[in-house]
Amino acid sequence: MATSLGLTACSSGDSADSSIVTTNAGEPQNPLVPTNTNENMGGRVVDRLWSGLKYYDASGAAHNEVAQSIESTDRKNYKITLKDWKFSDGTPVTAKSFVDAWNFGALSTNAQLQSYVFNPIKGFKDVSAEKPTAQTMSGLKVIDDRTFTVELESPSIDFETGLGFAPFYPLPEVAYKDIKAYGENPVGNGPYKFASNGAWQHNVQIDLVPNPEYKGGRPAKNKGLRFVMYQTFETAYQDLLAGNLDSLDVIPDGALASYKKELGDRAITKPIAYKAAIGIQTNTPHFGGEEGVLRRKAISMAINREQISENIFRGTRVPAKDFTAATLPGFDGNLPGSEVLKYNPEEAKKVWAQANAISPWSGTYEIAYNSDGGHQGWIEATANSIKNTLGIEAVGTPYPTFKNIRDLINGKTINKAFRYGWQGDYPTMLQFLTAQYYSFSETNNVNYNSPEFDKLLNDALAASTQDESYKIIAKAQALLFKDMADIPMFDYAAAAGRSDKVKKAEMAWNGLFDFEGIEK
Protein backbone atom coordinates (compact mmCIF):
# COMPACT_ATOMS: atom_id res chain seq x y z
CA MET A 1 0.00 0.00 0.00
CA ALA A 2 1.41 3.37 -0.97
CA THR A 3 2.43 5.16 2.16
CA SER A 4 2.32 8.74 3.24
CA LEU A 5 3.98 8.76 6.61
CA GLY A 6 1.95 11.93 6.52
CA LEU A 7 -0.43 13.88 8.70
CA THR A 8 -2.55 16.55 7.17
CA ALA A 9 -4.52 18.66 9.56
CA CYS A 10 -4.23 19.81 13.13
CA SER A 11 -3.71 18.72 16.70
CA SER A 12 -6.66 17.16 18.46
CA GLY A 13 -8.42 20.22 19.73
CA ASP A 14 -11.38 18.49 21.34
CA SER A 15 -10.74 15.57 23.64
CA ALA A 16 -12.29 12.24 22.76
CA ASP A 17 -14.37 10.26 25.23
CA SER A 18 -11.83 8.73 27.62
CA SER A 19 -12.85 5.23 26.55
CA ILE A 20 -12.13 5.96 22.87
CA VAL A 21 -8.65 5.24 21.49
CA THR A 22 -7.13 8.23 19.70
CA THR A 23 -4.51 7.47 17.08
CA ASN A 24 -2.61 9.45 14.46
CA ALA A 25 -3.80 9.59 10.88
CA GLY A 26 -4.06 11.79 7.81
CA GLU A 27 -6.70 12.73 5.28
CA PRO A 28 -7.42 9.77 2.95
CA GLN A 29 -6.74 10.50 -0.70
CA ASN A 30 -10.10 9.21 -1.91
CA PRO A 31 -13.55 8.22 -0.60
CA LEU A 32 -13.31 4.98 1.39
CA VAL A 33 -13.99 2.32 -1.24
CA PRO A 34 -11.77 -0.78 -0.77
CA THR A 35 -10.90 -1.26 -4.44
CA ASN A 36 -9.90 2.41 -4.78
CA THR A 37 -7.91 2.85 -1.55
CA ASN A 38 -4.23 2.20 -2.13
CA GLU A 39 -2.62 4.46 0.47
CA ASN A 40 -1.87 4.24 4.16
CA MET A 41 -4.25 6.83 5.59
CA GLY A 42 -7.34 5.52 3.87
CA GLY A 43 -6.21 1.91 4.26
CA ARG A 44 -5.93 2.01 8.04
CA VAL A 45 -9.60 3.04 8.22
CA VAL A 46 -10.87 0.71 5.47
CA ASP A 47 -9.35 -2.32 7.20
CA ARG A 48 -11.30 -1.51 10.38
CA LEU A 49 -14.60 -1.10 8.54
CA TRP A 50 -14.46 -4.31 6.50
CA SER A 51 -13.87 -8.02 6.87
CA GLY A 52 -12.57 -10.16 4.04
CA LEU A 53 -12.59 -13.87 3.42
CA LYS A 54 -9.43 -13.86 5.54
CA TYR A 55 -7.75 -11.50 7.99
CA TYR A 56 -4.12 -11.08 9.06
CA ASP A 57 -3.15 -11.15 12.70
CA ALA A 58 -0.42 -8.96 14.20
CA SER A 59 2.29 -11.41 13.14
CA GLY A 60 1.01 -11.53 9.55
CA ALA A 61 -0.55 -15.00 9.71
CA ALA A 62 -3.73 -15.37 7.65
CA HIS A 63 -6.95 -16.77 9.19
CA ASN A 64 -10.39 -17.39 7.74
CA GLU A 65 -12.78 -14.58 8.62
CA VAL A 66 -15.96 -14.41 6.51
CA ALA A 67 -14.91 -17.64 4.80
CA GLN A 68 -16.12 -20.84 6.40
CA SER A 69 -13.86 -22.74 4.02
CA ILE A 70 -11.68 -22.12 0.96
CA GLU A 71 -11.20 -25.37 -0.94
CA SER A 72 -8.86 -26.11 -3.84
CA THR A 73 -7.00 -29.17 -5.05
CA ASP A 74 -5.02 -27.44 -7.78
CA ARG A 75 -4.61 -23.78 -6.65
CA LYS A 76 -6.48 -22.83 -9.81
CA ASN A 77 -10.10 -23.68 -9.01
CA TYR A 78 -11.55 -22.60 -5.66
CA LYS A 79 -14.81 -23.27 -3.89
CA ILE A 80 -15.51 -20.64 -1.21
CA THR A 81 -18.18 -21.14 1.43
CA LEU A 82 -19.21 -18.23 3.64
CA LYS A 83 -20.20 -17.97 7.29
CA ASP A 84 -23.48 -16.36 8.25
CA TRP A 85 -22.45 -12.69 8.23
CA LYS A 86 -24.03 -9.23 8.06
CA PHE A 87 -23.06 -5.74 7.04
CA SER A 88 -23.24 -3.09 9.74
CA ASP A 89 -26.68 -2.01 8.45
CA GLY A 90 -28.02 -5.54 9.10
CA THR A 91 -28.19 -6.66 5.46
CA PRO A 92 -26.66 -10.09 4.72
CA VAL A 93 -23.21 -10.63 3.29
CA THR A 94 -23.69 -13.12 0.48
CA ALA A 95 -21.62 -14.72 -2.25
CA LYS A 96 -23.01 -12.06 -4.58
CA SER A 97 -21.64 -9.36 -2.23
CA PHE A 98 -18.14 -10.61 -2.99
CA VAL A 99 -18.56 -11.45 -6.67
CA ASP A 100 -20.21 -8.12 -7.53
CA ALA A 101 -17.55 -6.18 -5.62
CA TRP A 102 -14.70 -7.98 -7.39
CA ASN A 103 -16.29 -7.42 -10.80
CA PHE A 104 -16.81 -3.75 -9.97
CA GLY A 105 -13.18 -3.43 -8.91
CA ALA A 106 -11.84 -5.12 -12.03
CA LEU A 107 -13.94 -3.29 -14.65
CA SER A 108 -11.74 -0.70 -16.36
CA THR A 109 -14.53 1.84 -16.75
CA ASN A 110 -14.76 2.06 -12.95
CA ALA A 111 -11.07 3.13 -12.82
CA GLN A 112 -10.27 1.52 -9.48
CA LEU A 113 -6.68 1.91 -8.24
CA GLN A 114 -6.49 -1.67 -6.96
CA SER A 115 -7.85 -3.38 -10.08
CA TYR A 116 -4.56 -5.20 -10.75
CA VAL A 117 -5.23 -7.67 -7.91
CA PHE A 118 -7.88 -9.42 -10.00
CA ASN A 119 -5.40 -10.23 -12.78
CA PRO A 120 -5.15 -13.96 -11.85
CA ILE A 121 -8.92 -14.47 -12.27
CA LYS A 122 -10.12 -15.89 -15.58
CA GLY A 123 -11.75 -13.18 -17.67
CA PHE A 124 -9.89 -10.27 -16.07
CA LYS A 125 -8.38 -9.27 -19.41
CA ASP A 126 -11.87 -8.96 -20.92
CA VAL A 127 -13.11 -6.52 -18.26
CA SER A 128 -9.86 -4.62 -17.73
CA ALA A 129 -9.22 -3.61 -21.32
CA GLU A 130 -9.54 0.06 -22.24
CA LYS A 131 -12.70 -0.95 -24.09
CA PRO A 132 -13.96 -3.96 -22.11
CA THR A 133 -15.58 -6.80 -24.02
CA ALA A 134 -17.36 -8.08 -20.89
CA GLN A 135 -18.78 -6.58 -17.71
CA THR A 136 -17.99 -9.51 -15.44
CA MET A 137 -15.11 -11.96 -15.06
CA SER A 138 -15.93 -15.40 -16.43
CA GLY A 139 -13.97 -17.05 -13.60
CA LEU A 140 -16.47 -16.00 -10.93
CA LYS A 141 -19.69 -17.99 -10.37
CA VAL A 142 -22.30 -17.58 -7.63
CA ILE A 143 -23.57 -21.04 -6.62
CA ASP A 144 -25.93 -19.97 -3.85
CA ASP A 145 -26.12 -17.28 -1.14
CA ARG A 146 -23.26 -18.79 0.81
CA THR A 147 -21.12 -20.31 -1.96
CA PHE A 148 -19.18 -19.08 -4.97
CA THR A 149 -16.37 -20.45 -7.14
CA VAL A 150 -13.28 -18.84 -8.56
CA GLU A 151 -11.34 -20.06 -11.59
CA LEU A 152 -7.89 -18.59 -12.18
CA GLU A 153 -6.04 -18.39 -15.50
CA SER A 154 -3.26 -20.52 -13.99
CA PRO A 155 -2.39 -21.90 -10.55
CA SER A 156 -1.36 -19.24 -8.02
CA ILE A 157 0.78 -19.75 -4.95
CA ASP A 158 -0.32 -16.37 -3.55
CA PHE A 159 -4.03 -16.13 -4.33
CA GLU A 160 -5.51 -17.63 -1.17
CA THR A 161 -3.10 -15.75 1.10
CA GLY A 162 -4.15 -12.49 -0.55
CA LEU A 163 -7.88 -12.92 0.08
CA GLY A 164 -7.66 -10.77 3.22
CA PHE A 165 -6.42 -7.80 1.15
CA ALA A 166 -8.83 -4.84 0.93
CA PRO A 167 -9.76 -5.05 -2.79
CA PHE A 168 -11.26 -8.49 -2.06
CA TYR A 169 -13.71 -7.11 0.53
CA PRO A 170 -17.47 -7.41 -0.18
CA LEU A 171 -19.78 -4.48 -0.90
CA PRO A 172 -23.48 -4.11 -0.05
CA GLU A 173 -26.02 -3.33 -2.76
CA VAL A 174 -26.35 0.26 -1.53
CA ALA A 175 -22.74 0.98 -2.59
CA TYR A 176 -23.51 0.90 -6.32
CA LYS A 177 -26.24 3.56 -6.21
CA ASP A 178 -23.64 6.31 -5.76
CA ILE A 179 -20.17 4.89 -5.11
CA LYS A 180 -18.57 8.26 -4.33
CA ALA A 181 -21.25 9.19 -1.79
CA TYR A 182 -21.03 5.68 -0.34
CA GLY A 183 -17.29 6.15 0.17
CA GLU A 184 -17.96 9.24 2.28
CA ASN A 185 -20.17 7.28 4.69
CA PRO A 186 -19.47 3.58 4.01
CA VAL A 187 -21.33 0.54 5.23
CA GLY A 188 -18.91 -2.32 5.84
CA ASN A 189 -18.87 -5.68 7.61
CA GLY A 190 -15.82 -5.32 9.84
CA PRO A 191 -15.17 -4.89 13.57
CA TYR A 192 -16.02 -1.17 13.44
CA LYS A 193 -18.49 1.12 11.72
CA PHE A 194 -18.75 4.88 11.27
CA ALA A 195 -19.83 6.55 14.49
CA SER A 196 -22.46 8.68 12.73
CA ASN A 197 -23.15 10.45 9.46
CA GLY A 198 -20.68 13.12 10.57
CA ALA A 199 -17.97 10.63 11.51
CA TRP A 200 -15.59 11.85 8.79
CA GLN A 201 -14.66 15.46 9.46
CA HIS A 202 -12.35 16.08 6.54
CA ASN A 203 -8.79 17.06 7.50
CA VAL A 204 -9.73 16.77 11.17
CA GLN A 205 -10.73 13.24 12.26
CA ILE A 206 -12.64 10.04 11.53
CA ASP A 207 -14.62 8.38 14.34
CA LEU A 208 -15.37 4.66 14.45
CA VAL A 209 -17.34 2.62 16.98
CA PRO A 210 -17.53 -1.17 17.43
CA ASN A 211 -19.89 -2.91 14.99
CA PRO A 212 -22.38 -5.05 16.96
CA GLU A 213 -22.97 -7.21 13.86
CA TYR A 214 -19.32 -8.34 13.79
CA LYS A 215 -18.77 -11.98 14.81
CA GLY A 216 -15.20 -12.57 13.63
CA GLY A 217 -11.80 -13.26 15.12
CA ARG A 218 -10.65 -9.69 15.70
CA PRO A 219 -13.32 -8.06 17.89
CA ALA A 220 -12.67 -4.54 19.19
CA LYS A 221 -11.14 -4.50 22.67
CA ASN A 222 -11.88 -0.80 23.00
CA LYS A 223 -14.96 1.42 22.79
CA GLY A 224 -13.99 3.00 19.49
CA LEU A 225 -11.24 4.65 17.45
CA ARG A 226 -10.65 8.29 16.60
CA PHE A 227 -8.20 8.80 13.73
CA VAL A 228 -6.81 12.28 14.39
CA MET A 229 -5.19 14.21 11.53
CA TYR A 230 -2.09 16.25 12.35
CA GLN A 231 0.05 18.70 10.39
CA THR A 232 3.29 17.31 11.82
CA PHE A 233 4.56 14.30 13.71
CA GLU A 234 6.21 16.67 16.17
CA THR A 235 2.78 17.94 17.26
CA ALA A 236 1.46 14.39 17.43
CA TYR A 237 4.41 13.32 19.58
CA GLN A 238 3.86 16.18 22.02
CA ASP A 239 0.21 15.11 22.29
CA LEU A 240 1.38 11.54 22.98
CA LEU A 241 3.66 12.73 25.78
CA ALA A 242 0.87 14.87 27.22
CA GLY A 243 -1.62 12.00 27.15
CA ASN A 244 -3.80 13.65 24.50
CA LEU A 245 -3.03 10.93 21.92
CA ASP A 246 -3.15 7.24 22.75
CA SER A 247 -0.98 5.77 19.98
CA LEU A 248 1.51 7.14 17.45
CA ASP A 249 3.02 4.88 14.78
CA VAL A 250 5.86 7.20 13.69
CA ILE A 251 8.17 8.97 16.12
CA PRO A 252 9.48 12.20 14.51
CA ASP A 253 13.14 12.31 13.51
CA GLY A 254 13.95 14.90 16.18
CA ALA A 255 12.77 12.59 18.97
CA LEU A 256 14.45 9.37 17.81
CA ALA A 257 17.41 9.97 20.15
CA SER A 258 15.17 10.51 23.18
CA TYR A 259 11.85 8.71 22.74
CA LYS A 260 12.90 5.49 24.47
CA LYS A 261 13.94 7.43 27.55
CA GLU A 262 10.85 9.67 27.45
CA LEU A 263 8.38 6.83 26.92
CA GLY A 264 10.12 4.03 28.81
CA ASP A 265 8.24 0.75 28.41
CA ARG A 266 5.68 2.57 26.26
CA ALA A 267 8.23 2.95 23.45
CA ILE A 268 7.82 0.44 20.62
CA THR A 269 10.53 -0.70 18.20
CA LYS A 270 10.01 -3.51 15.70
CA PRO A 271 11.28 -4.47 12.19
CA ILE A 272 8.37 -4.23 9.75
CA ALA A 273 7.46 -4.97 6.12
CA TYR A 274 7.85 -1.41 4.92
CA LYS A 275 10.12 0.10 2.26
CA ALA A 276 11.05 3.59 1.14
CA ALA A 277 12.11 4.41 -2.41
CA ILE A 278 12.72 7.26 -4.81
CA GLY A 279 10.77 6.94 -8.02
CA ILE A 280 10.89 8.85 -11.27
CA GLN A 281 8.48 8.27 -14.11
CA THR A 282 9.81 7.44 -17.56
CA ASN A 283 8.04 10.41 -19.18
CA THR A 284 10.31 12.76 -17.19
CA PRO A 285 13.04 14.38 -19.35
CA HIS A 286 16.36 12.47 -19.22
CA PHE A 287 14.77 9.44 -17.55
CA GLY A 288 13.43 7.40 -20.44
CA GLY A 289 15.14 4.52 -22.20
CA GLU A 290 18.80 3.60 -21.68
CA GLU A 291 19.68 7.12 -20.53
CA GLY A 292 17.15 6.81 -17.73
CA VAL A 293 18.48 3.41 -16.62
CA LEU A 294 22.01 4.82 -16.38
CA ARG A 295 20.92 7.94 -14.51
CA ARG A 296 18.89 5.97 -11.96
CA LYS A 297 21.86 3.66 -11.33
CA ALA A 298 24.24 6.60 -10.98
CA ILE A 299 21.95 8.41 -8.57
CA SER A 300 21.51 5.24 -6.51
CA MET A 301 25.27 4.81 -6.15
CA ALA A 302 25.63 8.52 -5.29
CA ILE A 303 23.49 8.16 -2.14
CA ASN A 304 25.17 7.33 1.17
CA ARG A 305 22.29 5.39 2.71
CA GLU A 306 24.30 4.21 5.71
CA GLN A 307 25.18 7.75 6.73
CA ILE A 308 21.61 8.98 6.30
CA SER A 309 20.25 6.02 8.26
CA GLU A 310 22.55 6.72 11.17
CA ASN A 311 22.47 10.53 11.21
CA ILE A 312 18.79 11.11 10.44
CA PHE A 313 17.04 7.94 11.56
CA ARG A 314 19.27 6.75 14.40
CA GLY A 315 19.30 3.27 12.92
CA THR A 316 15.52 2.92 12.61
CA ARG A 317 16.02 2.69 8.84
CA VAL A 318 18.25 0.06 7.26
CA PRO A 319 19.70 0.52 3.74
CA ALA A 320 17.58 -1.43 1.26
CA LYS A 321 18.96 -4.55 -0.39
CA ASP A 322 16.09 -5.35 -2.77
CA PHE A 323 12.74 -4.08 -4.04
CA THR A 324 10.64 -5.69 -1.27
CA ALA A 325 11.27 -5.76 2.50
CA ALA A 326 13.81 -7.67 4.56
CA THR A 327 11.20 -9.08 6.97
CA LEU A 328 9.32 -11.02 4.26
CA PRO A 329 9.61 -14.81 3.76
CA GLY A 330 12.13 -15.68 1.04
CA PHE A 331 14.03 -12.37 1.24
CA ASP A 332 17.50 -12.51 -0.33
CA GLY A 333 19.93 -9.72 0.53
CA ASN A 334 22.52 -10.69 -2.08
CA LEU A 335 20.67 -10.46 -5.38
CA PRO A 336 22.57 -10.04 -8.67
CA GLY A 337 22.75 -6.33 -9.48
CA SER A 338 22.11 -5.15 -5.92
CA GLU A 339 25.58 -3.59 -5.76
CA VAL A 340 23.98 -0.44 -7.24
CA LEU A 341 22.44 0.14 -3.80
CA LYS A 342 25.88 0.64 -2.25
CA TYR A 343 27.52 4.07 -1.99
CA ASN A 344 30.13 4.15 -4.76
CA PRO A 345 31.01 7.74 -5.77
CA GLU A 346 33.55 6.88 -8.48
CA GLU A 347 31.27 4.39 -10.23
CA ALA A 348 28.34 6.82 -9.88
CA LYS A 349 30.31 9.54 -11.73
CA LYS A 350 31.37 7.08 -14.42
CA VAL A 351 27.81 5.89 -15.08
CA TRP A 352 26.48 9.48 -15.01
CA ALA A 353 29.03 10.36 -17.71
CA GLN A 354 27.79 7.44 -19.81
CA ALA A 355 24.28 8.89 -19.59
CA ASN A 356 25.61 12.32 -20.57
CA ALA A 357 27.12 10.76 -23.69
CA ILE A 358 23.57 9.84 -24.75
CA SER A 359 22.10 13.24 -23.86
CA PRO A 360 23.89 15.95 -21.84
CA TRP A 361 22.31 16.67 -18.46
CA SER A 362 20.61 20.00 -17.92
CA GLY A 363 18.48 21.43 -15.14
CA THR A 364 18.00 20.46 -11.51
CA TYR A 365 17.34 17.03 -10.06
CA GLU A 366 14.30 17.53 -7.83
CA ILE A 367 12.93 15.03 -5.30
CA ALA A 368 9.31 15.76 -4.42
CA TYR A 369 8.06 14.97 -0.92
CA ASN A 370 4.98 15.74 1.16
CA SER A 371 5.64 18.33 3.87
CA ASP A 372 3.14 16.70 6.22
CA GLY A 373 5.12 13.45 6.39
CA GLY A 374 8.32 14.29 8.24
CA HIS A 375 10.48 13.65 5.14
CA GLN A 376 12.41 16.90 4.79
CA GLY A 377 15.51 15.78 6.70
CA TRP A 378 16.26 12.60 4.78
CA ILE A 379 15.26 14.02 1.40
CA GLU A 380 17.58 17.01 1.82
CA ALA A 381 20.39 14.69 2.98
CA THR A 382 19.77 12.50 -0.09
CA ALA A 383 19.79 15.51 -2.42
CA ASN A 384 23.05 16.75 -0.88
CA SER A 385 24.66 13.34 -1.32
CA ILE A 386 23.67 13.34 -5.01
CA LYS A 387 24.83 16.95 -5.46
CA ASN A 388 28.21 16.39 -3.81
CA THR A 389 28.87 13.15 -5.68
CA LEU A 390 27.68 13.99 -9.19
CA GLY A 391 28.31 17.73 -9.16
CA ILE A 392 24.76 18.58 -10.26
CA GLU A 393 22.13 20.74 -8.63
CA ALA A 394 19.86 18.48 -6.55
CA VAL A 395 17.14 19.67 -4.19
CA GLY A 396 14.12 18.49 -2.24
CA THR A 397 10.85 19.97 -3.46
CA PRO A 398 8.06 20.08 -0.84
CA TYR A 399 4.34 19.67 -1.55
CA PRO A 400 1.86 20.61 1.20
CA THR A 401 0.08 17.27 1.64
CA PHE A 402 0.32 13.60 0.82
CA LYS A 403 -2.86 13.90 -1.26
CA ASN A 404 -1.24 16.64 -3.40
CA ILE A 405 1.72 14.49 -4.30
CA ARG A 406 -0.29 11.26 -4.78
CA ASP A 407 -2.68 12.98 -7.21
CA LEU A 408 0.27 14.09 -9.36
CA ILE A 409 1.94 10.66 -9.22
CA ASN A 410 -1.28 8.85 -10.12
CA GLY A 411 -1.92 11.36 -12.91
CA LYS A 412 1.62 10.78 -14.29
CA THR A 413 2.17 14.55 -14.24
CA ILE A 414 4.66 15.04 -11.42
CA ASN A 415 7.61 15.40 -13.88
CA LYS A 416 10.30 14.99 -11.23
CA ALA A 417 11.63 12.38 -8.84
CA PHE A 418 9.53 11.68 -5.74
CA ARG A 419 9.75 9.80 -2.48
CA TYR A 420 7.28 7.04 -1.92
CA GLY A 421 6.85 4.05 0.30
CA TRP A 422 5.16 0.68 0.26
CA GLN A 423 3.63 -0.91 3.33
CA GLY A 424 2.78 -4.59 3.01
CA ASP A 425 -0.87 -5.46 2.45
CA TYR A 426 -0.21 -9.14 3.07
CA PRO A 427 3.14 -10.67 3.96
CA THR A 428 4.63 -11.95 0.71
CA MET A 429 7.27 -10.59 -1.65
CA LEU A 430 4.89 -11.10 -4.56
CA GLN A 431 2.46 -8.61 -3.01
CA PHE A 432 5.15 -5.93 -3.10
CA LEU A 433 6.27 -6.79 -6.62
CA THR A 434 2.92 -7.29 -8.36
CA ALA A 435 1.50 -4.08 -6.90
CA GLN A 436 4.44 -1.86 -7.78
CA TYR A 437 5.95 -3.24 -10.98
CA TYR A 438 3.38 -5.21 -12.98
CA SER A 439 3.05 -3.22 -16.22
CA PHE A 440 -0.75 -3.02 -15.86
CA SER A 441 -0.91 -2.23 -12.15
CA GLU A 442 -2.61 1.06 -11.31
CA THR A 443 -0.20 1.29 -8.36
CA ASN A 444 2.89 1.09 -10.59
CA ASN A 445 4.17 4.54 -9.62
CA VAL A 446 7.12 4.65 -12.02
CA ASN A 447 5.60 3.42 -15.33
CA TYR A 448 7.82 0.33 -15.31
CA ASN A 449 6.87 -1.81 -18.29
CA SER A 450 8.61 -5.11 -18.97
CA PRO A 451 6.81 -8.09 -20.54
CA GLU A 452 9.76 -10.25 -19.39
CA PHE A 453 9.25 -9.13 -15.79
CA ASP A 454 5.47 -9.66 -16.00
CA LYS A 455 6.10 -13.23 -17.22
CA LEU A 456 8.54 -13.93 -14.38
CA LEU A 457 5.97 -12.78 -11.82
CA ASN A 458 3.34 -14.96 -13.46
CA ASP A 459 5.76 -17.90 -13.35
CA ALA A 460 6.51 -17.22 -9.68
CA LEU A 461 2.78 -17.24 -8.92
CA ALA A 462 2.36 -20.51 -10.82
CA ALA A 463 5.29 -22.22 -9.06
CA SER A 464 4.52 -25.55 -7.40
CA THR A 465 6.51 -24.81 -4.21
CA GLN A 466 7.50 -21.72 -2.23
CA ASP A 467 11.20 -22.43 -2.77
CA GLU A 468 10.69 -22.59 -6.54
CA SER A 469 8.69 -19.36 -6.36
CA TYR A 470 11.46 -17.63 -4.40
CA LYS A 471 14.04 -18.60 -7.05
CA ILE A 472 11.90 -17.06 -9.80
CA ILE A 473 11.29 -13.95 -7.68
CA ALA A 474 15.07 -13.57 -7.38
CA LYS A 475 15.34 -13.60 -11.20
CA ALA A 476 12.55 -11.03 -11.43
CA GLN A 477 14.32 -8.75 -8.97
CA ALA A 478 17.61 -9.15 -10.84
CA LEU A 479 15.74 -7.80 -13.88
CA LEU A 480 14.45 -4.87 -11.82
CA PHE A 481 18.07 -4.05 -10.93
CA LYS A 482 19.13 -4.37 -14.58
CA ASP A 483 16.39 -1.92 -15.57
CA MET A 484 16.71 0.07 -12.31
CA ALA A 485 12.93 0.41 -12.11
CA ASP A 486 13.22 2.81 -9.18
CA ILE A 487 15.74 3.57 -6.42
CA PRO A 488 15.19 1.47 -3.27
CA MET A 489 16.28 3.44 -0.19
CA PHE A 490 15.42 1.94 3.19
CA ASP A 491 13.73 -0.86 5.07
CA TYR A 492 11.91 0.36 8.16
CA ALA A 493 11.99 -0.56 11.79
CA ALA A 494 8.95 0.88 13.50
CA ALA A 495 9.60 3.57 16.09
CA ALA A 496 6.28 4.13 17.79
CA GLY A 497 4.68 4.69 21.16
CA ARG A 498 1.59 4.53 23.35
CA SER A 499 0.34 6.89 26.02
CA ASP A 500 0.20 6.19 29.74
CA LYS A 501 -3.56 5.72 29.34
CA VAL A 502 -3.06 2.62 27.21
CA LYS A 503 -2.17 -0.73 28.74
CA LYS A 504 -1.73 -2.62 25.48
CA ALA A 505 -0.92 -1.50 21.93
CA GLU A 506 0.80 -4.04 19.69
CA MET A 507 2.59 -3.09 16.49
CA ALA A 508 1.62 -5.37 13.61
CA TRP A 509 3.93 -6.94 11.02
CA ASN A 510 3.39 -4.08 8.54
CA GLY A 511 4.04 -1.12 10.84
CA LEU A 512 0.44 -0.31 11.72
CA PHE A 513 -1.05 -0.87 15.13
CA ASP A 514 -3.26 -3.86 15.81
CA PHE A 515 -6.02 -1.29 16.27
CA GLU A 516 -8.69 -3.76 17.38
CA GLY A 517 -6.40 -4.94 20.17
CA ILE A 518 -5.52 -1.53 21.65
CA GLU A 519 -6.75 -1.47 25.24
CA LYS A 520 -7.13 1.66 27.36
Side-chain angles (χ1 to χ4, degrees), residues 377-401:
W378 78 267
I379 290 295
E380 289 184 352
T382 299
N384 284 335
S385 190
I386 295 167
K387 179 179 179 179
N388 294 337
T389 302
L390 298 178
I392 64 172
E393 191 62 30
V395 298
T397 301
Y399 286 77
T401 69

Side-chain angles (χ1 to χ4, degrees), residues 47-308:
D47 289 338
R48 316 279 75 78
L49 294 173
W50 269 273
S51 291
L53 295 168
K54 288 182 172 288
Y55 75 93
Y56 309 108
D57 65 22
S59 68
H63 307 270
N64 282 358
E65 191 167 28
V66 181
Q68 181 69 48
S69 62
I70 302 172
E71 302 171 70
S72 179
T73 58
D74 58 4
R75 292 187 293 123
K76 181 181 178 183
N77 294 279
Y78 292 83
K79 178 184 177 184
I80 298 172
T81 304
L82 307 180
K83 297 172 185 173
D84 185 12
W85 206 278
K86 292 181 180 179
F87 289 104
S88 60
D89 64 357
T91 57
V93 176
T94 66
K96 191 172 184 293
S97 306
F98 282 93
V99 169
D100 286 356
W102 297 8
N103 280 321
F104 171 84
L107 188 62
S108 61
T109 51
N110 291 327
Q112 298 295 284
L113 290 171
Q114 303 270 47
S115 62
Y116 75 92
V117 306
F118 304 107
N119 172 63
I121 299 174
K122 188 174 182 181
F124 173 75
K125 290 179 175 61
D126 298 326
V127 302
S128 63
E130 187 175 344
K131 293 182 178 179
T133 57
Q135 298 294 300
T136 60
M137 291 179 281
S138 59
L140 299 178
K141 305 286 186 196
V142 173
I143 305 303
D144 56 41
D145 278 354
R146 300 269 288 275
T147 314
F148 68 103
T149 59
V150 184
E151 182 182 356
L152 306 184
E153 291 284 0
S154 60
S156 171
I157 204 162
D158 234 35
F159 182 72
E160 183 175 346
T161 302
L163 289 176
F165 183 19
F168 293 106
Y169 292 158
L171 290 176
E173 287 291 333
V174 67
Y176 306 106
K177 294 178 181 177
D178 185 339
I179 195 71
K180 186 175 180 180
Y182 169 79
E184 294 287 334
N185 187 27
V187 172
N189 65 321
Y192 294 90
K193 64 178 183 176
F194 262 25
S196 67
N197 287 340
W200 186 351
Q201 298 178 45
H202 287 279
N203 298 304
V204 179
Q205 65 194 39
I206 295 176
D207 288 335
L208 307 183
V209 295
N211 173 16
E213 298 289 353
Y214 180 77
K215 309 298 183 198
R218 51 186 182 116
K221 295 181 179 178
N222 49 62
K223 296 301 176 73
L225 299 171
R226 172 169 288 180
F227 291 94
V228 184
M229 303 170 193
Y230 288 84
Q231 289 180 333
T232 68
F233 284 114
E234 286 76 13
T235 304
Y237 183 61
Q238 291 306 313
D239 266 4
L240 184 75
L241 292 176
N244 296 325
L245 185 70
D246 291 322
S247 64
L248 175 63
D249 58 21
V250 178
I251 301 296
D253 295 350
L256 287 174
S258 60
Y259 84 104
K260 291 182 181 178
K261 181 178 178 181
E262 290 167 340
L263 292 175
D265 64 1
R266 296 183 285 113
I268 302 167
T269 303
K270 179 179 180 177
I272 54 176
Y274 203 142
K275 64 162 268 192
I278 293 173
I280 190 160
Q281 294 170 344
T282 52
N283 60 354
T284 306
H286 292 293
F287 285 93
E290 181 60 22
E291 181 192 358
V293 173
L294 292 168
R295 294 205 187 280
R296 289 189 293 275
K297 287 182 177 180
I299 288 166
S300 180
M301 291 185 286
I303 300 169
N304 193 333
R305 292 169 180 79
E306 289 81 4
Q307 187 178 76
I308 295 169

